[in-house]
Amino acid sequence: MNMTTETINGVNIVRLEGSVMLGDADAVRAAFRRWFEQASTPRVVVDMEKVDQLDSAGLGALVYAAQLVRDRGGDLSFACLQKKARLVFEITRSYKVFDIYATVDEAVRAQPA
Amino acid sequence: MNVVFHTGNTPDWAAPLERPWPLLPVGNRPWLEFWIEWCVARGFTALHLVLGDGAAQVEHAFGSGERWGVSITYHFVRDGQTPAMFLRRSPDLWRDGLLHVAAPVFPRRADDQPLTPLDDATRTAGEPSAPAVFYSRRPVDIEAYINDAAPAPVPFAANELLAQPLATLADYFDLNLAMVDGEIARYLTPGYRREDRAYLGFNVVYPSSATIAAPVMIGNDVRLRGLATIGPRAILGNRVIVDRQATVTESLVLDGTYLGPGIELAGRIACGRRLIDPADGTAVDIEDTHWMAPLRAVGGRGEKLRRLGHCTAALLLWITVAPLAIPLLLLGMIGGGRFVRQPLLGVRGSFQPLVWRPGRWSPGLIERLSLHDWPRLAYVVRGDLWLSGQLPVSPDEEAEVRDWPAYRPGLFAYADMRPDREDPVLRRIEACYYAHHRGWGEDVRICLFGWWARVTGRNHRIDDREVPA
């Protein structure tokens, strides 16, 4: 699993790559926490375009990230979910909890100012 | 009249479902079963199944055909052999009449009117140059057909045969939903109990907190757990477990699938760990057994280690409980209690363990604390029982138990946690459930909760079944 970040229009974009599964979930949590402690703004979009596998542990890590962001009064949304991750979000009802957008641009525009 | 089905040519769209087309469930029944019943309704009883991929599964499912009153003969084709080439191998066999189903089509009925008898005219369905279904009693036409010369086609009338080709997974899914919507009533009695458009199979167990919203079809040996919601327009196959708070609507769940807690399935096909979107045929394998998984069978790796764990735990319990059990049991025996031998089916076959029969003045504490099971711990150490598992059955039930996905007779069982511990339906369902959930954690849970249910008296008295003279 790889995680890279950038900022677009004052919104942090977190790009995840690879599988976010049992073996990677702790690394995702730790990497996100480390990065988020120094992040300039609590507005975050997670780009899932290159996430090919997601399981319950991985989803737990994403929920943890969302909780961190919301605790700081920010907002976390997801963009570019691939079919597999989309189905996982669907069957676990996560789509009811998170905002999901087709593209990163859409997600950035939808972030509250 | 001979009927020939080519069963080895499963279409590409069915590949994610991982079974040959005759076994694909339509309205919870195998596809080919509809064809067999169509043949029976017309008096065609000599059936030939030409096997390819999945031959063993098909043969196991349909056997000799005795169940339908037909005779089924199995044949094999070599790679690259076409259906017509197979027929040419023994042309004399088909001379008196031939119904040839060369491609996977479904014998759909347009309405619930009786089928019209077929006369002697030659009929075909599908492409005239390569018909999916061919029917004829005329030797000249049959010979022409098996020699790849297209006979003059006359299509089947709607109430003779509506051979529906299924070209995509979406067609297959829609056909299933049409069945659950009520079309199944057009076909022969499927053996389900119909009540308010809810077709329930045998051994369906659900708590009062589960919701079944018609129309719905549920197969045999299905267990729903608390707050699960099934339907409307949902089909669950056989041996399916739907865990707590899961929801299944407008979906098809194939045999032997486990759906985890809180899962929501809407407009999807679930097949073991595979989740399929019927709209575009996308199939993804969910790599998480907490969400979706094929139902497991017990055994395999870790079985010896588990046996060792159960033996060790039983030995430790035997030693630690002895100072309390021995005096109380002696007291109970003075009060008229006694141990008798009762035949049970154990891990290694039948055996006769000691079973406690309380006397008039035996302390009730003996059973409440499960001290009467103290001698039985030795059977766990010896390997005749597990410490936790399923309620042991009598040796007379050995044949039935062979069909269960798991039989692990244990000292403590799920049955200890409920009042009606001898219920045969629940025992069978628990066998499925235990097979899938078996693990160290589940075994400990059964021991603790089973023991606590005995302590609190939430179950019946232990070992209250009749002892043979």
Side-chain angles (χ1 to χ4, degrees):
Chain A
M1 194 283 305
N2 281 329
M3 182 177 128
T4 55
T5 59
E6 66 172 306
T7 305
I8 299 176
N9 295 339
V11 176
N12 291 308
I13 313 297
V14 176
R15 296 190 202 283
L16 297 178
E17 192 176 337
S19 62
V20 186
M21 297 183 70
L22 185 61
D24 322 291
D26 286 344
V28 172
R29 282 170 199 254
F32 190 88
R33 191 179 59 241
R34 271 198 308 275
W35 165 79
F36 190 64
E37 279 167 2
Q38 294 156 10
S40 54
T41 167
R43 297 157 65 201
V44 180
V45 171
V46 180
D47 181 355
M48 301 279 286
E49 188 177 5
K50 290 180 179 168
V51 172
D52 50 17
Q53 284 189 314
L54 185 65
D55 69 357
S56 54
L59 193 61
L62 298 178
V63 171
Y64 170 80
Q67 196 59 47
L68 276 184
V69 172
R70 285 171 188 175
D71 285 350
R72 258 180 71 179
D75 194 50
L76 183 142
S77 54
F78 292 90
C80 307
L81 257 69
Q82 296 305 297
K83 187 82 185 186
K84 188 161 187 173
R86 184 175 291 278
L87 284 172
V88 165
F89 270 64
E90 183 187 293
I91 64 167
T92 55
R93 309 180 205 229
S94 305
Y95 66 93
K96 292 178 179 172
V97 182
F98 298 118
D99 292 324
I100 299 166
Y101 298 93
T103 64
V104 172
D105 287 346
E106 262 182 57
V108 169
R109 278 201 299 276
Q111 280 280 337
Chain B
M1 171 64 66
N2 282 285
V3 183
V4 179
F5 293 100
H6 276 266
T7 69
N9 45 356
T10 298
D12 290 344
W13 59 259
L17 302 173
E18 291 182 320
R19 60 201 76 195
W21 74 261
L23 296 181
L24 286 175
V26 176
N28 244 353
R29 302 164 66 201
W31 185 335
L32 192 69
E33 207 171 297
F34 289 86
W35 266 114
I36 294 176
E37 287 177 355
W38 185 91
C39 291
V40 169
R42 297 194 169 283
F44 303 160
T45 55
L47 273 51
H48 300 261
L49 264 58
V50 185
L51 304 172
D53 291 340
Q57 287 172 276
V58 173
E59 200 168 345
H60 177 73
F62 298 103
S64 64
E66 194 182 8
R67 199 155 28 119
W68 296 274
V70 299
S71 98
I72 298 180
T73 310
Y74 294 95
H75 309 268
F76 292 89
V77 287
R78 297 180 204 96
D79 284 343
Q81 207 172 29
T82 63
M85 286 163 78
F86 166 77
L87 295 174
R88 281 199 289 272
R89 274 170 28 183
S90 42
D92 292 343
L93 203 57
W94 327 118
R95 207 171 293 281
D96 295 337
L98 173 67
L99 173 73
H100 186 216
V101 180
V105 291
F106 187 77
R108 203 163 187 180
R109 292 194 185 184
D111 49 39
D112 52 6
Q113 297 302 308
L115 293 170
T116 309
L118 288 164
D119 58 26
D120 287 349
T122 299
R123 287 170 168 77
T124 59
E127 289 292 316
S129 56
V133 183
F134 169 85
Y135 164 83
S136 180
R137 289 181 185 275
R138 296 176 180 168
V140 178
D141 286 349
I142 295 169
E143 196 172 333
Y145 174 68
I146 65 178
N147 288 311
D148 281 340
V154 178
F156 286 95
N159 54 357
E160 289 176 345
L161 173 67
L162 198 64
Q164 184 183 6
L166 302 180
T168 63
L169 203 55
D171 291 343
Y172 169 70
F173 186 68
D174 291 343
L175 176 63
N176 271 283
L177 288 192
M179 290 289 174
V180 77
D181 280 338
E183 190 177 321
I184 191 77
R186 296 178 193 170
Y187 303 86
L188 294 182
T189 311
Y192 293 112
R193 185 164 64 92
R194 186 181 182 188
E195 197 170 272
D196 299 333
R197 295 200 298 157
Y199 298 83
L200 304 185
F202 300 111
N203 303 338
V204 176
V205 176
Y206 55 95
S208 56
S209 61
T211 304
I212 297 182
V216 70
M217 297 178 101
I218 300 180
N220 301 328
D221 300 331
V222 170
R223 179 169 179 156
L224 312 180
R225 301 204 67 205
L227 298 170
T229 302
I230 308 300
R233 302 183 88 211
I235 302 180
L236 303 187
N238 302 318
R239 288 186 59 230
V240 167
I241 296 175
V242 180
D243 220 323
R244 295 181 304 276
Q245 297 177 310
T247 301
V248 182
T249 53
E250 306 243 349
S251 293
L252 173 61
V253 181
L254 268 60
D255 295 0
T257 298
Y258 166 75
L259 296 177
I263 289 299
E264 182 181 72
L265 217 60
R268 300 283 180 256
I269 301 174
C271 171
R273 72 169 58 80
R274 187 161 291 171
L275 185 64
I276 302 164
D277 182 351
D280 58 9
T282 308
V284 294
D285 287 340
I286 303 291
E287 305 292 346
D288 196 316
T289 51
H290 295 103
W291 289 341
M292 280 178 61
L295 273 188
R296 288 188 302 174
V298 298
R301 285 189 311 165
E303 197 71 353
K304 283 183 181 168
L305 192 62
R306 198 184 307 277
R307 159 62 60 201
L308 186 66
H310 280 237
C311 288
T312 310
L315 189 61
L316 290 173
L317 274 173
W318 195 84
I319 293 167
T320 50
V321 173
L324 181 63
I326 292 172
L328 275 174
L329 286 172
L330 284 175
L331 200 62
M333 290 169 92
I334 292 167
R338 65 203 162 98
F339 280 103
V340 295
R341 296 264 176 200
Q342 179 184 358
L344 288 176
L345 187 63
V347 175
R348 301 181 297 181
S350 62
F351 72 121
Q352 296 214 333
L354 292 170
V355 173
W356 174 248
R357 294 286 159 220
R360 283 186 70 181
W361 308 107
S362 303
L365 208 59
I366 290 176
E367 287 164 277
R368 287 257 169 169
L369 294 180
S370 302
L371 297 176
H372 65 298
D373 269 344
W374 175 73
R376 284 218 218 180
L377 287 166
Y379 299 114
V380 180
V381 177
R382 215 172 69 173
D384 285 316
L385 288 174
W386 295 84
L387 192 56
S388 57
Q390 296 154 269
L391 193 68
V393 301
S394 81
D396 303 340
E397 296 168 284
E398 187 170 1
E400 189 198 337
V401 162
R402 265 196 228 112
D403 287 342
W404 293 4
Y407 178 61
R408 292 292 184 275
L411 216 52
F412 293 94
Y414 291 115
D416 289 319
M417 303 179 212
R418 55 181 161 79
D420 192 3
R421 73 195 301 261
E422 299 288 340
D423 187 314
V425 172
L426 289 174
R427 276 191 331 196
R428 192 180 171 92
I429 296 294
E430 281 164 0
C432 291
Y433 187 81
Y434 183 66
H436 186 70
H437 285 88
R438 191 174 191 230
W440 291 98
E442 190 66 10
D443 283 347
V444 171
R445 194 180 80 86
I446 293 171
C447 282
L448 292 180
F449 282 77
W451 181 78
W452 183 246
R454 292 181 186 187
V455 170
T456 54
R458 282 195 291 139
N459 56 351
H460 275 193
R461 219 184 67 207
I462 315 301
D463 298 324
D464 51 359
R465 73 172 89 175
E466 288 295 315
V467 178

